[in-house]
Amino acid sequence: MRMSGILEIGVRSLLAYQYALDITGQNIANDQTQYYSRRVVEFQDDGMNSGVSIGDVRRIFDSVADDQLKNSITDLSKSTQYADQLSSLEIEFGGDLSSKTDIGKYLNDALDSIRNLNGNASSMQNRATFLNALMNLSSKFNSLSSSLQKQGSDTNRSLLDQIQKTNQDISQLADLNQKLLHASDSEKNDLLDKQEKIKEDLAQYINFKTSTDQNGLLNLTLDNGASLLFGTKANSIALQNSQTQTNQMSIILTDGTFNLDVTSQISSGSISGLLEYSQKDIPNATQLLNRLSVVISSALNEQNKLGLDLNGKLGSNIFSDINSPSLMAQRFSSGLNNTGSANLSVQISDATQLSGSNYQLVVDAPGHYNLVRGSDQKIVSSGNLGALPQTISADGVSIQLSSGTLNVGDQYTISPTAGAAQGMKLNIQDASQLALALPVLADSSTQNQGKGVISVDGISNIQGSIFQGNQQLTPPLKIHFTSDTQYEILNATDSSVIASGLTYDPSQPNSIFPTPQGFDPGIRISLSGAIHAGDEFNISYNTNPSNDNRNGQFLEKLFGTPLIDQKNNTFLGEFRSILSGISSKTGDTKANMEADKIVFSNARDRRSNVSGVIVAEETMNLAKYQQAYQASAQLLQTAKNIFETIISLARS
Amino acid sequence: MRISTNTQFWAQLDLIEEKNARIATLQYQAATGNKLKLYSDDAALGSRIQSLSDNMTEYQGFESNTSVLSAQLSLVQNSANKLLSSALKIMDDINSAKNDTKNNQDRLALATELQGVLSSLLNESNLRDVNGGYLYSGTLQNTSPFQLKQGSYQYQGTSTTIQVSISQDTQQAATFSGWNVFGNIGTGNGQFQIQFDPTHNTGNAYASGITTTSSQPVSDTYTLNFVTNAQGQLAYTVTGAQSGQVVPPASQPVPQNAPAFTSDQAIQFNGLSFQLSGVPKVGDQFTVSPSQKDNVFNQLSNLVNLLKTPVNTDQDKANLQQNLNNALDYFKQFHDQSNGLVSQTGITINYLNSIAERNKQMVGADNLILVNEATVKPENVIPMVTQELQSLEILTRSFSKIQEILGQIIRF
């Protein structure tokens, strides 16, 4: 054997095992690094008398496991983000059981206070309590609406932050691709670890697919193939206002020149969670809240206007007018590409029919329109439009096209309830303006021989001429029975006949108005019981409203009457339904999150079990390589000894 | 199977995290007694809790109304009992005044007594609730129900009443129409009245109470005249303002065919029947007419005035008896009406009590369900917390042990 052979073998093996020890040390050092892929040293026999050297340092990974982990991170990130956001929404709406300040509470307070007030309608204290309850209710609508707006803006800010981080990650991956082009094998492993780390980070934000080109460079695409990263060319995503839908945001993919709307491609990751929350849940909750606000305002306003206040005046709106000119003008927005000049205003004609959704008014052909409901994309009205003015009605909404022109392609977004909860304010400040009395009294003459009972069932129209007098009916009316089953309606002032030959059925309640001939003063009167010829009933203005709670009873009944959602829900029922919907969705999302956690945990373990470090294993390697290293050193020592022996022999 | 150190580490961490979350939940339950923190923790249960809470609020919302109404009705029932006593007192005094042995002085004393009853009734009509509102004015609670205007008592309230909700679909009157309590009573027997004509009559006959013999007596104003018939007997004819000659039938000549009068014998025509006591004279007249609705105050005033009027002649006596009979008929109706009010208020109070009791039971039942479904007992939760804490401690020790072993391996 050549002397240099053992020396060379010793040196080479020493170097090889030193390197192996380095690699093992590197593995041990990264045993807690999630994205790190362990390295395995492969020794190679360098041939007779050449010893051993490092054949390869393999980076252990499983691309399927990596992909699964990436996808599970994306899904978990979305469900976690989404569940967090929905939990916030749920708490805003009072989903925390310890919360005692939700809209339901204020609705119950208002109902309690109107009930108490109806027990003593003249009590200013009771009136003030009811008014205060209504003020609290409107304030709650205002604050909840503001919170939703703030949540919307906070979510958009988070979206912008996460989009920025996404772009940074894509950009870093492009840089890594650049470095990979020129990296040595050992550098490549480190770069691939870094790439893995950034991929996992990016996976938190958006869903993407990966592929590797012939140069080993990473490419990223969205589900539809749109490129996020191609070799060293990084594209970026951005948030912008939707080109097709008002008040909606879009995610666009841009290379700096061309923009592509990829909103529908972002289906997972925290950005997707934020986007869904921002684009669906907040608008839905806001629309439902606005609709509830409109229906409450409309119902209480209309009923109060049919009554008489403590000052003897006809009632006014309790809350701000839902159809004020300024509100009507704010309920639409014109498409960006409109060429027509139509002037619109949007009136709520029947709040009980409101869907809560927005609508798209589209001129699809010359003189022809479609009105599409946003919630289900159903055409709710369609037809030809002649010269303006025209009115389009659907779902309790009247769109008044007053003047100007409509051209093909023109689009308008109609938002009938937009801003309602935010703008809900008390219109009356003085509790005496609560119109708890009815403006009409109906009474039987004290000389009646029969047992007829008359009652005012309500006021159907306060705008009629009979109510145009100053605190009097014009004219007051009298029902005079000409026989036990026939009656006439007289002007009580001059006894002139207004309607005659009217038939009365004593076996059932009889509605007096409108008469078969069509006389309708806007008052609903019923008469029942046995009546004698000559009996009379007077219908007059109520000049003493202080204790009259008849309209107060109607106001009270509004709280228990289904008036929302095609008259399917009461005020409280609707609120509970909104909260229940949010809670249910939050619960489902939390359950999804728990499932995603399990999937993530399995994917993480799978990858870790392939690529992760086992300290015991590495410790064994360490011992093994250490021994080999020491043996190699011993080889050198032996070589040295031999060499020294030879030298000493030569000297002697 | 290869299990990385990280996998071991994460598995331990996941378990510890899970335990911590569980302990946090149990601690919340122990501290608040609530099973859920957010409705979304169990959306179905959350929805049920909301529904039960709303139901309880709904039932409790009627408590105030039912208790206030019950108190008001107790006032009215008490008042109605007083009206009943007054009606009996009035009828006693009328019967006493009818006694032939009573002289003018006696009747004056009765008049004074009845004047007191009138004041008492007027006072009762002004019954007010705890808020000072009149209970017998219908919807006009700030108006005294009966006021003396132009010499007579007139009702100032309404026939409609103030209604208050006592359950979701039920309302109950919180006030009463004073007209239906103190008025709305027809003079005479309520359908017809018979009147003595003191300006014409020279005899001493007077009528007892009038009765109806048909369910639909012919409504008319009848004049009964005493004549001498063809047989020279004291006879009578009856003529209706609308009906014309009723007795004898229109086909027969009068006074020749007029039926002979016999004292205390029923005179019947067109569904009506009454008797005349005493001896009428030819030319005497009685009028039978439909009742007029009046209130007790006017009728009692008239009665007081009647009793104050001295009785000197047979005609005065007949007139007194006639009017006392009419008053007796009227106040019998007032008695019945008051009795009806006592009964009605009693029934309503019982009804309100049953509603209140039902509401209370419903609240109790809902509350029981709520307690069972929505709350947890600390004594049940605390052992679970202890158990979970012990479990956490074992986990933590196990985690430390594993880390220690790893350290040993590395040292080795």
Side-chain angles (χ1 to χ4, degrees):
Chain A
M1 189 182 193
R2 287 181 295 114
M3 185 63 214
S4 61
I6 192 166
L7 194 62
E8 189 178 337
I9 289 168
V11 169
R12 288 173 73 94
S13 60
L14 197 67
L15 288 173
Y17 287 113
Q18 185 181 357
Y19 191 75
L21 282 167
D22 287 349
I23 295 297
T24 306
Q26 175 77 4
N27 282 344
I28 291 172
N30 283 290
D31 81 315
Q32 297 295 315
T33 310
Q34 188 175 331
Y35 58 86
Y36 179 76
S37 294
R38 68 192 165 96
R39 314 287 200 267
V40 173
V41 177
E42 289 186 352
F43 296 96
Q44 69 176 13
D45 174 13
D46 287 342
M48 194 59 192
N49 296 329
S50 296
V52 69
S53 65
I54 300 296
D56 191 12
V57 178
R58 278 197 301 125
R59 180 174 172 271
I60 306 300
F61 70 97
D62 174 347
S63 58
V64 174
D66 286 352
D67 259 2
Q68 282 179 346
L69 177 61
K70 171 184 74 71
N71 291 338
S72 71
I73 289 172
T74 309
D75 289 344
L76 177 60
S77 182
K78 176 181 179 173
S79 56
T80 304
Q81 181 82 62
Y82 198 32
D84 284 352
Q85 300 295 130
L86 284 172
S87 289
S88 304
L89 188 65
E90 185 189 14
I91 290 167
E92 287 292 351
F93 269 83
D96 188 332
L97 262 78
S98 60
S99 163
K100 303 290 179 200
T101 56
D102 65 7
I103 282 182
K105 188 257 181 197
Y106 291 110
L107 279 168
N108 277 328
D109 282 355
L111 177 57
D112 269 355
S113 56
I114 182 71
R115 262 195 206 126
N116 283 337
L117 176 54
N118 281 332
N120 183 12
S122 64
S123 161
M124 283 309 293
Q125 188 184 343
N126 287 1
R127 283 174 172 261
T129 303
F130 179 50
L131 200 61
N132 200 40
L134 294 179
M135 189 177 72
N136 290 340
L137 180 65
S138 65
S139 297
K140 185 64 194 176
F141 269 100
N142 301 157
S143 64
L144 186 50
S145 177
S146 295
S147 297
L148 290 179
Q149 272 187 1
K150 187 169 183 308
Q151 284 217 8
S153 58
D154 286 351
T155 307
N156 283 345
R157 205 162 51 240
S158 294
L159 265 172
L160 288 171
D161 286 347
Q162 296 197 8
I163 284 170
Q164 192 183 4
K165 285 174 186 166
T166 302
N167 290 334
Q168 282 171 356
D169 283 345
I170 298 170
S171 177
Q172 283 180 20
L173 287 171
D175 289 347
L176 282 177
N177 274 350
Q178 182 68 44
K179 288 175 182 166
L180 278 167
L181 275 176
H182 310 289
S184 65
D185 285 348
S186 63
E187 286 172 337
K188 272 184 184 170
N189 281 341
D190 292 341
L191 290 172
L192 287 173
D193 276 348
K194 281 184 184 168
Q195 189 185 70
E196 195 58 38
K197 176 182 185 302
I198 298 170
K199 265 165 56 184
E200 286 181 15
D201 193 52
L202 181 62
Q204 290 180 59
Y205 305 124
I206 54 169
N207 54 305
F208 57 89
K209 288 180 175 173
T210 60
S211 62
T212 309
D213 67 11
Q214 68 275 16
N215 298 317
L217 302 189
L218 177 71
N219 292 327
L220 304 180
T221 57
L222 292 173
D223 287 347
N224 65 349
S227 174
L228 293 168
L229 172 67
F230 186 74
T232 57
K233 166 74 177 157
N235 291 327
S236 61
I237 58 171
L239 189 67
Q240 71 169 28
N241 288 324
S242 169
Q243 296 295 304
T244 53
Q245 296 214 312
T246 311
N247 301 327
Q248 290 282 303
M249 305 298 284
S250 293
I251 302 275
I252 56 150
L253 178 66
T254 179
D255 65 357
T257 310
F258 297 104
N259 294 341
L260 179 66
D261 189 331
V262 292
T263 313
S264 61
Q265 301 303 314
I266 311 285
S267 57
S268 195
S270 59
I271 287 179
S272 168
L274 286 172
L275 206 57
E276 196 164 334
Y277 181 65
S278 151
Q279 304 296 287
K280 288 183 183 170
D281 298 291
I282 291 183
N284 282 348
T286 305
Q287 284 176 351
L288 291 172
L289 187 71
N290 282 336
R291 179 173 69 167
L292 180 57
S293 156
V294 166
V295 179
I296 291 173
S297 296
S298 169
L300 291 176
N301 283 354
E302 291 310 309
Q303 196 59 54
N304 202 57
K305 285 197 288 189
L306 296 178
L308 199 62
D309 70 16
L310 202 53
N311 309 310
K313 292 180 181 169
L314 292 175
S316 54
N317 285 332
I318 290 180
F319 294 108
S320 40
D321 185 4
I322 61 162
N323 281 320
S324 68
S326 62
L327 273 179
M328 285 169 62
Q330 288 169 21
R331 289 176 178 153
F332 73 95
S333 56
S334 305
L336 296 173
N337 303 319
N338 284 8
T339 57
S341 60
N343 288 315
L344 272 72
S345 67
V346 181
Q347 184 181 32
I348 296 170
S349 51
D350 182 355
T352 64
Q353 299 301 312
L354 288 173
S355 69
S357 172
N358 287 347
Y359 298 81
Q360 286 291 318
L361 177 63
V362 182
V363 182
D364 61 337
H368 189 270
Y369 75 93
N370 284 327
L371 183 65
V372 182
R373 187 165 52 215
S375 56
D376 55 7
Q377 294 300 306
K378 190 176 172 185
I379 295 175
V380 291
S381 178
S382 178
N384 294 317
L385 280 171
L388 303 185
Q390 297 279 345
T391 300
I392 298 168
S393 298
D395 293 352
V397 178
S398 290
I399 303 163
Q400 290 152 3
L401 300 148
S402 54
S403 60
T405 56
L406 283 167
N407 293 336
V408 174
D410 284 357
Q411 288 192 20
Y412 296 88
T413 301
I414 311 295
S415 312
T417 60
Q422 184 69 49
M424 188 181 186
K425 296 277 184 293
L426 272 186
N427 183 54
I428 60 174
Q429 306 303 325
D430 180 354
S432 68
Q433 289 177 287
L434 289 168
L436 304 179
L438 282 180
V440 173
L441 281 180
D443 226 342
S444 48
S445 163
T446 53
Q447 284 310 310
N448 283 358
Q449 297 298 305
K451 300 278 185 189
V453 175
I454 191 166
S455 65
V456 182
D457 296 336
I459 305 296
S460 62
N461 178 15
I462 202 75
Q463 304 300 326
S465 62
I466 199 166
F467 291 109
Q468 299 310 308
N470 180 23
Q471 301 196 6
Q472 59 178 353
L473 293 185
T474 51
L477 303 170
K478 181 181 282 184
I479 299 169
H480 173 77
F481 275 76
T482 52
S483 74
D484 291 358
T485 55
Q486 294 278 313
Y487 66 95
E488 59 189 3
I489 296 167
L490 308 175
N491 176 330
T493 308
D494 59 13
S495 295
S496 58
V497 176
I498 294 172
S500 60
L502 302 165
T503 305
Y504 178 76
D505 181 355
S507 65
Q508 61 178 27
N510 292 251
S511 295
I512 303 302
F513 303 117
T515 65
Q517 296 96 330
F519 174 64
D520 184 1
I523 307 167
R524 293 293 170 260
I525 300 270
S526 68
L527 200 50
S528 59
I531 296 177
H532 285 194
D535 284 359
E536 289 185 337
F537 299 88
N538 294 302
I539 300 167
S540 58
Y541 197 83
N542 182 2
T543 55
N544 193 346
S546 66
N547 288 88
D548 182 359
N549 69 357
R550 289 173 298 160
N551 202 44
Q553 294 285 350
F554 288 124
L555 284 167
E556 181 185 328
K557 276 183 188 165
L558 291 175
F559 287 82
T561 308
L563 292 173
I564 309 182
D565 191 16
Q566 311 287 323
K567 299 190 178 180
N568 280 320
N569 252 341
T570 60
F571 300 155
L572 185 62
E574 174 67 8
F575 174 71
R576 292 295 183 224
S577 168
I578 298 171
L579 176 55
S580 174
I582 293 169
S583 295
S584 181
K585 190 166 187 181
T586 309
D588 289 347
T589 310
K590 282 181 183 170
N592 286 342
M593 183 180 74
E594 292 304 321
D596 287 342
K597 270 185 186 170
I598 294 168
V599 173
F600 163 74
S601 180
N602 288 338
R604 181 194 61 192
D605 291 351
R606 180 178 170 184
R607 183 193 179 279
S608 182
N609 289 343
V610 173
S611 301
V613 174
I614 299 176
V615 171
E617 188 178 76
E618 298 302 330
T619 307
M620 293 302 112
N621 285 340
L622 199 63
K624 190 169 71 181
Y625 296 146
Q626 190 183 0
Q627 282 180 352
Y629 182 83
Q630 283 170 344
S632 300
Q634 194 61 45
L635 264 181
L636 284 179
Q637 185 64 46
T638 305
K640 183 187 167 200
N641 290 343
I642 292 169
F643 191 69
E644 281 176 353
T645 303
I646 292 168
I647 296 289
S648 66
L649 282 174
R651 282 180 183 155
S652 59
Chain B
M1 184 185 171
R2 192 174 184 282
I3 297 174
S4 76
T5 308
N6 249 349
T7 303
Q8 277 186 333
F9 179 70
W10 288 325
Q12 297 288 319
L13 278 187
D14 286 351
L15 285 171
I16 290 171
E17 194 182 316
E18 206 175 284
K19 279 291 164 213
N20 278 328
R22 173 84 182 129
I23 289 166
T25 303
L26 288 171
Q27 281 178 328
Y28 172 82
Q29 290 180 341
T32 64
N34 290 333
K35 202 176 274 181
L36 306 182
K37 185 171 193 301
L38 294 175
Y39 289 121
S40 57
D41 292 342
D42 183 341
L45 177 59
S47 183
R48 186 152 168 71
I49 290 171
Q50 282 174 0
S51 173
L52 285 165
S53 299
D54 286 342
N55 279 349
M56 286 167 63
T57 308
E58 174 80 26
Y59 287 122
Q60 285 165 339
F62 293 110
E63 270 180 13
S64 166
N65 281 0
T66 45
S67 68
V68 168
L69 262 181
S70 198
Q72 284 188 190
L73 283 172
S74 293
L75 283 176
V76 174
Q77 191 182 38
N78 191 33
S79 163
N81 275 315
K82 288 181 188 169
L83 301 187
L84 200 57
S85 301
S86 297
L88 287 170
K89 174 70 183 157
I90 295 167
M91 288 194 294
D92 275 355
D93 283 358
I94 291 171
N95 283 324
S96 178
K98 282 179 70 177
N99 192 325
D100 280 346
T101 61
K102 297 290 180 190
N103 60 27
N104 286 341
Q105 208 57 37
D106 295 334
R107 283 190 289 274
L108 205 55
L110 287 173
T112 306
E113 201 170 272
L114 289 173
Q115 184 68 49
V117 175
L118 174 60
S119 299
S120 163
L121 282 175
L122 274 170
N123 194 42
E124 212 53 57
S125 74
N126 285 324
L127 181 71
R128 295 176 189 235
D129 62 22
V130 287
N131 300 309
Y134 291 101
L135 282 168
Y136 290 127
S137 288
T139 58
L140 306 182
Q141 277 203 282
N142 56 355
T143 303
S144 176
F146 288 93
Q147 293 172 24
L148 193 56
K149 290 191 170 179
Q150 295 166 337
S152 69
Y153 289 96
Q154 293 177 13
Y155 179 54
Q156 303 299 307
T158 61
S159 61
T160 49
T161 57
I162 289 175
Q163 304 284 316
V164 172
S165 302
I166 52 169
S167 70
Q168 203 159 20
D169 305 312
T170 317
Q171 292 189 323
Q172 179 62 47
T175 61
F176 289 78
S177 159
W179 178 247
N180 288 333
V181 175
F182 297 94
N184 204 17
I185 301 170
T187 49
N189 72 350
Q191 282 184 290
F192 287 91
Q193 60 182 347
I194 185 161
Q195 285 168 316
F196 177 90
D197 186 349
T199 56
H200 282 86
N201 293 5
T202 53
N204 64 359
Y206 59 90
S208 59
I210 194 164
T211 56
T212 51
T213 57
S214 157
S215 60
Q216 287 187 314
V218 178
S219 179
D220 201 351
T221 300
Y222 302 95
T223 306
L224 185 148
N225 277 305
F226 282 94
V227 295
T228 305
N229 63 12
Q231 287 77 37
Q233 297 166 313
L234 179 64
Y236 64 94
T237 63
V238 177
T239 310
Q242 306 290 327
S243 319
Q245 184 178 311
V246 177
V247 179
S251 56
Q252 297 183 24
V254 290
Q256 297 90 324
N257 284 12
F261 168 76
T262 307
S263 185
D264 294 324
Q265 198 169 60
I267 297 172
Q268 292 183 337
F269 57 87
N270 282 4
L272 299 172
S273 176
F274 59 91
Q275 296 166 4
L276 287 175
S277 303
V279 183
K281 290 190 175 167
V282 173
D284 282 0
Q285 264 186 14
F286 288 85
T287 306
V288 177
S289 59
S291 296
Q292 296 295 307
K293 294 287 175 70
D294 202 359
N295 61 59
V296 293
F297 309 108
N298 288 331
Q299 289 291 308
L300 196 51
S301 281
N302 293 343
L303 181 59
V304 168
N305 289 336
L306 179 70
L307 293 175
K308 281 180 180 173
T309 307
V311 173
N312 299 317
T313 64
D314 281 353
Q315 291 74 33
D316 289 345
K317 220 180 251 180
N319 184 43
L320 174 70
Q321 289 294 337
Q322 180 63 70
N323 282 308
L324 286 174
N325 280 343
N326 284 346
L328 193 59
D329 277 348
Y330 180 89
F331 282 104
K332 272 181 187 165
Q333 292 179 69
F334 176 56
H335 172 269
D336 292 347
Q337 189 161 284
S338 300
N339 210 9
L341 184 61
V342 172
S343 166
Q344 181 200 337
T345 48
I347 290 167
T348 312
I349 288 169
N350 285 339
Y351 175 62
L352 285 173
N353 289 342
S354 71
I355 292 269
E357 185 57 31
R358 188 204 65 182
N359 285 352
K360 206 170 150 187
Q361 283 173 354
M362 295 303 285
V363 169
D366 281 350
N367 194 42
L368 196 64
I369 299 170
L370 201 59
V371 166
N372 284 337
E373 296 200 2
T375 64
V376 288
K377 290 179 182 168
E379 60 265 32
N380 291 342
V381 178
I382 288 165
M384 291 163 80
V385 176
T386 312
Q387 202 175 359
E388 293 289 345
L389 282 171
Q390 285 170 350
S391 177
L392 178 65
E393 196 180 337
I394 293 165
L395 260 178
T396 314
R397 278 186 193 167
S398 150
F399 180 72
S400 302
K401 198 74 189 169
I402 290 170
Q403 296 306 310
E404 196 181 315
I405 290 166
L406 279 175
Q408 283 172 355
I409 290 169
I410 290 166
R411 279 196 297 277
F412 168 80

